[in-house]
Amino acid sequence: MSEPKINVGNVEHCQALLAQLPGVFASGIRLDQGEMVEIHILASASRSAKQIVRDVQSAIFAVYGVEVDHRIISVAQLPQRPGVSEEAEAAPAAQAVRLLFSGIESQRRDGVYRAGVYLSHDGESYAGEAQTSDGALRRNRAIAQATLNAVHAFIGRSAFELLDVKRAEFGGETVVVTVVEQTGSADSRILVGAVVQGEDMAESIVRSTLDAVNRRVGMLREGE
């Protein structure tokens, strides 16, 4: 089987996606002339290497449509996350700031689509809006952008750039995936969020976008 091809511009996105799989601590991808020839996974010993390999194959195929030969995937396993003591690993995580979805409204008029997203934290509401020319894919991006704009209202500044939002099949479920870049600091990184699509596609996009950024918003908020 020939090595699967992957756009070199998507490598950081792909590594961020793989790093969010259950039990995966980190991932690395080696390219040869733009082709993906090695995938290295550092993972917990709590899951079998075979299952982790299957998850990697499924995730890459679901998001990028690339079938990966299991022979190019190497898995190294550790008893705990590197650099973290057993006591720290077992201790409950500190309470993180998490924005909650509280509502969405939309309007389509004269070929223009407008989305308004409302988030909440500690009883306070934060709103974001975005608009675009009408069309299914553009509507999805507008909803994700409105979500980021609401996040920015909470943070007090722009901190995230929307890269992509799409639906993919994963494990027999339709999953909404949002890819975001954290910008404007030395700690810039690619963030990926994903949720199983619910009955309301718009709400699923909001939740997927929040899944991508919620782990970062507390430390980015001005004055905190």
Side-chain angles (χ1 to χ4, degrees):
M1 181 176 180
S2 62
E3 290 88 353
K5 295 183 179 181
I6 184 169
N7 187 317
V8 66
N10 288 335
V11 169
E12 285 189 348
H13 301 187
C14 190
Q15 290 180 168
L17 172 69
L18 299 182
Q20 295 188 58
L21 293 173
V24 173
F25 299 141
S27 66
I29 296 173
R30 188 172 75 83
L31 299 175
D32 184 5
Q33 297 182 346
E35 295 187 4
M36 188 165 55
V37 294
E38 292 180 6
I39 300 175
H40 297 275
I41 302 294
L42 183 62
S44 167
S46 63
R47 306 183 71 231
S48 73
K50 187 175 182 180
Q51 181 61 57
I52 292 169
V53 168
R54 284 199 297 265
D55 285 352
V56 168
Q57 290 176 299
S58 296
I60 293 176
F61 181 76
V63 176
Y64 301 104
V66 175
E67 293 188 5
V68 176
D69 188 340
H70 69 88
R71 291 173 294 184
I72 74 168
I73 304 173
S74 300
V75 178
Q77 294 181 281
L78 296 174
Q80 67 213 33
R81 186 176 296 276
V84 179
S85 67
E86 291 185 12
E87 292 79 5
E89 186 79 8
Q95 182 65 37
V97 172
R98 295 190 69 82
L99 290 166
L100 302 178
F101 171 72
S102 58
I104 184 171
E105 61 182 17
S106 62
Q107 182 182 66
R108 299 165 67 181
R109 175 181 294 180
D110 299 329
V112 175
Y113 175 82
R114 186 188 69 82
V117 171
Y118 302 92
L119 308 176
S120 64
H121 176 69
D122 277 352
E124 296 291 330
S125 181
Y126 303 89
E129 292 187 359
Q131 68 178 36
T132 182
S133 55
D134 204 2
L137 295 180
R138 289 187 290 271
R139 289 197 297 270
N140 291 348
R141 289 186 63 89
I143 295 165
Q145 186 60 58
T147 305
L148 291 181
N149 291 343
V151 172
H152 293 158
F154 171 77
I155 294 173
R157 67 185 189 278
S158 294
F160 302 106
E161 178 182 348
L162 177 65
L163 299 181
D164 199 8
V165 57
K166 66 188 296 183
R167 291 187 297 178
E169 295 297 320
F170 181 63
E173 298 278 1
T174 300
V175 177
V176 180
V177 181
T178 304
V179 183
V180 172
E181 182 178 7
Q182 181 185 327
T183 60
S185 75
D187 195 27
S188 294
R189 62 183 64 192
I190 301 297
L191 306 170
V192 180
V195 298
V196 175
Q197 182 181 329
E199 294 183 4
D200 188 325
M201 177 61 178
E203 180 177 338
S204 297
I205 292 171
V206 175
R207 295 189 183 281
S208 175
T209 307
L210 287 176
D211 185 59
V213 304
N214 248 337
R215 290 178 291 277
R216 308 293 298 172
V217 295
M219 65 186 71
L220 290 172
R221 191 179 191 189
E222 284 187 347
E224 293 192 1

